Amino acid sequence: DNATINKVNKDGNYIYSMAKEVKEIPIDKLEDVAIAIGDPKVLYDFIMFIKESNKEKLIDALIKIKSGMYLYYLALFMDNPPMKKLEEGIIESGDPLYMYYFALDNDITGANVEKLVDKILMCNNNVEILGKCMLLPINIKQKIEISTKITKLLEDNIDNNKKKVK
């Protein structure tokens, strides 16, 4: 019954273990359940460790659930990863930390660092990540935008702390 299936499959690990061990069940059906569950680690495991898996379909699902971390891991560890697609997925995820890692990592070739930094500027107020972006190979305009944003964030922080003290 569905309640039992939902309880067993709640985090997707059971589905992944079935894909590895039970060859009589079609992989595409197990993939569909894994996608419906939406656990990014399970989708990553399917892509990386189930040879017969539909990698494109699973990557699309990972992009839809905006898992910056697992998209970054695919870029690092997958054989012949679709880099442009993963880069777009990282940007769509809105996760500034993994966008930064994607831009920084020397093992990820062809990353559009300036595009990634533009998105980080749009969606991030973390002074530490913004400061790290200053060390990336970006244009001077972006460096000025980053320094302006960091300055504003620090000024806002000082103003907020003054208000709390009063």
Side-chain angles (χ1 to χ4, degrees), residues 94-134:
D95 187 325
L97 181 62
Y98 287 99
M99 283 186 259
Y100 167 73
Y101 287 157
F102 199 93
L104 173 71
D105 204 301
N106 291 331
D107 293 328
I108 296 176
T109 54
N112 186 335
V113 175
E114 290 180 350
K115 185 176 181 180
L116 289 158
V117 169
D118 280 342
K119 183 63 177 184
I120 290 169
L121 273 162
M122 286 175 22
C123 70
N124 182 36
N125 287 329
N126 182 310
V127 171
E128 183 180 359
I129 292 173
L130 290 168
K132 288 178 179 182
C133 285
M134 294 288 280

Side-chain angles (χ1 to χ4, degrees), residues 33-132:
V33 174
I35 290 168
I37 292 168
D39 181 329
K41 182 185 181 323
V42 173
L43 295 174
Y44 172 82
D45 287 345
F46 262 87
I47 294 164
M48 293 298 293
F49 306 116
I50 306 294
K51 279 189 298 201
E52 310 82 22
S53 68
N54 182 336
K55 312 241 183 278
E56 187 175 334
K57 178 171 104 174
L58 293 163
I59 289 170
D60 288 344
L62 209 48
I63 289 170
K64 281 183 185 146
I65 60 175
K66 301 182 184 296
S67 176
M69 180 174 77
Y70 284 104
L71 292 167
Y72 170 69
Y73 290 164
L74 284 177
L76 282 181
F77 303 120
M78 184 179 179
D79 291 334
N80 302 313
M83 285 302 196
K84 288 297 172 199
K85 186 175 206 168
L86 294 175
E87 180 178 62
E88 289 301 318
I90 290 267
I91 289 169
E92 278 184 42
S93 79
D95 187 325
L97 181 62
Y98 287 99
M99 283 186 259
Y100 167 73
Y101 287 157
F102 199 93
L104 173 71
D105 204 301
N106 291 331
D107 293 328
I108 296 176
T109 54
N112 186 335
V113 175
E114 290 180 350
K115 185 176 181 180
L116 289 158
V117 169
D118 280 342
K119 183 63 177 184
I120 290 169
L121 273 162
M122 286 175 22
C123 70
N124 182 36
N125 287 329
N126 182 310
V127 171
E128 183 180 359
I129 292 173
L130 290 168
K132 288 178 179 182

Side-chain angles (χ1 to χ4, degrees), residues 113-165:
V113 175
E114 290 180 350
K115 185 176 181 180
L116 289 158
V117 169
D118 280 342
K119 183 63 177 184
I120 290 169
L121 273 162
M122 286 175 22
C123 70
N124 182 36
N125 287 329
N126 182 310
V127 171
E128 183 180 359
I129 292 173
L130 290 168
K132 288 178 179 182
C133 285
M134 294 288 280
L135 303 173
L136 294 171
I138 56 176
N139 63 52
I140 191 69
K141 181 181 174 259
Q142 285 181 308
K143 288 188 182 217
I144 291 168
E145 286 179 51
I146 292 170
S147 64
T148 302
K149 187 165 186 174
I150 289 172
T151 302
K152 171 107 175 71
L153 289 168
L154 293 173
E155 287 170 351
D156 290 349
N157 191 24
I158 290 168
D159 290 344
N160 287 337
N161 285 336
K162 283 181 182 176
K163 289 176 187 173
K164 289 179 185 175
V165 172

Side-chain angles (χ1 to χ4, degrees), residues 5 8-19 22 30 42:
I5 291 171
V8 172
N9 296 337
K10 140 176 112 170
D11 66 356
N13 290 325
Y14 181 72
I15 292 299
Y16 170 66
S17 67
M18 285 180 71
V22 182
L30 295 171
V42 173

